[in-house]
Amino acid sequence: MESNELWLRPGTSHLTQKLTLALPSNCLYSAAVGSLERFGFYGVQANLIMYLTGPLGMSTAAAATGVNAWAGAVQILHLAGALAADSRLGRYRAVLAASVLYLLVNTYN
């Protein structure tokens, strides 16, 4: 059994095997959302360093330290949210809790 036989569309023959490799539709959606998320992350990161060194007047080293701390927190909070949603809260309660937390943080800042 070849490794790419699992990805063939039903009803295809081995003669057209190289032309008919199928991708699930959600695979393209996930790739597009992941790409847009990365564009947004790096865009905010670049704008944050400009804001910290410009209007706030921080030194470049202090701004880089702050941006690195922010980037690390962003990366770790994905894991913390996933663990909380999977082990305790469930999908809908986790989204509700994150939304309320987001509103509270943005209301008082």
Side-chain angles (χ1 to χ4, degrees), residues 25 35 49 54 71 77 86:
S25 61
S35 299
I49 203 99
L77 285 177
D86 287 345

Side-chain angles (χ1 to χ4, degrees), residues 1-9 14 17 21-22:
M1 179 176 187
E2 294 181 21
S3 63
N4 61 355
E5 285 181 4
L6 297 175
W7 296 98
L8 289 176
R9 289 190 179 127
H14 290 305
Q17 178 176 354
L21 291 177

Side-chain angles (χ1 to χ4, degrees), residues 23-106:
L23 284 176
S25 61
N26 60 353
C27 181
L28 296 175
Y29 176 75
S30 295
V33 168
S35 299
L36 292 175
E37 186 268 333
R38 288 284 96 192
F39 283 135
F41 175 79
Y42 289 118
V44 168
Q45 189 174 12
N47 287 334
L48 185 58
I49 203 99
M50 297 296 285
Y51 179 72
L52 293 175
T53 57
L56 291 184
M58 292 176 77
S59 68
T60 305
T65 302
V67 170
N68 284 336
W70 170 78
V74 166
Q75 298 296 325
I76 293 298
L77 285 177
H78 286 294
L79 294 174
L83 286 173
D86 287 345
S87 64
R88 300 279 181 212
L89 296 175
R91 180 180 9 176
Y92 298 112
R93 285 191 212 150
V95 170
L96 181 64
S99 299
V100 168
L101 181 66
Y102 178 77
L103 288 173
L104 288 174
V105 167
N106 285 326

